[in-house]
């Protein structure tokens, strides 16, 4: 279970990274201020996604799928670590 968990964590991380960069590119394509705000100001990324939902829907939802895969991987990895400690 530990190896599967690590694999899922890696896949989820890569998916989140790719679609996070795509969202950042979309913010900079909108304007430089949106891009800089996306990078440096808390919650501006969420505001940008909400205000530009038509353009950001797909990458945002794919990023959420990557997060779910990441969390499942952590859960499986943690369960594998617990099972090996019991032996």
């Amino acid at each position: 279970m530990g190896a599967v968990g690590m694999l899922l964590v890696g896949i989820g991380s890569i998916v989140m990274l790719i679609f996070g960069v795509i969202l950042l590119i979309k913010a900079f394509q909108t304007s430089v201020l949106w891009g800089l705000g996306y990078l440096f100001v808390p919650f501006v990324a969420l505001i940008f996604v909400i205000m530009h939902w038509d353009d950001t829907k797909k990458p945002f939802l794919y990023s959420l799928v990557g997060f779910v895969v990441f969390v499942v991987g952590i859960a499986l990895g943690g369960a594998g670590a617990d099972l090996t400690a019991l032996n």
Side-chain angles (χ1 to χ4, degrees):
M1 284 292 214
V4 173
M6 287 181 12
L7 180 67
L8 290 177
V9 166
I11 291 171
S13 297
I14 291 169
V15 168
M16 287 189 298
L17 177 69
I18 289 170
F19 288 104
V21 169
I22 289 171
L23 285 170
L24 180 63
I25 290 169
K26 286 187 179 289
F28 271 107
Q29 285 175 342
T30 302
S31 79
V32 173
L33 289 178
W34 269 118
L36 291 174
Y38 191 100
L39 277 176
F40 298 117
V41 180
F43 302 110
V44 169
L46 184 60
I47 293 168
F48 174 77
V49 168
I50 291 169
M51 289 183 67
H52 298 90
W53 183 248
D54 292 337
D55 295 333
T56 60
K57 178 173 42 176
K58 271 189 173 181
F60 178 73
L61 293 177
Y62 285 144
S63 181
L64 282 180
V65 168
F67 179 71
V68 169
V69 170
F70 179 82
V71 169
V72 168
I74 287 181
L76 287 177
D82 289 342
L83 292 176
T84 56
L86 293 175
N87 290 333

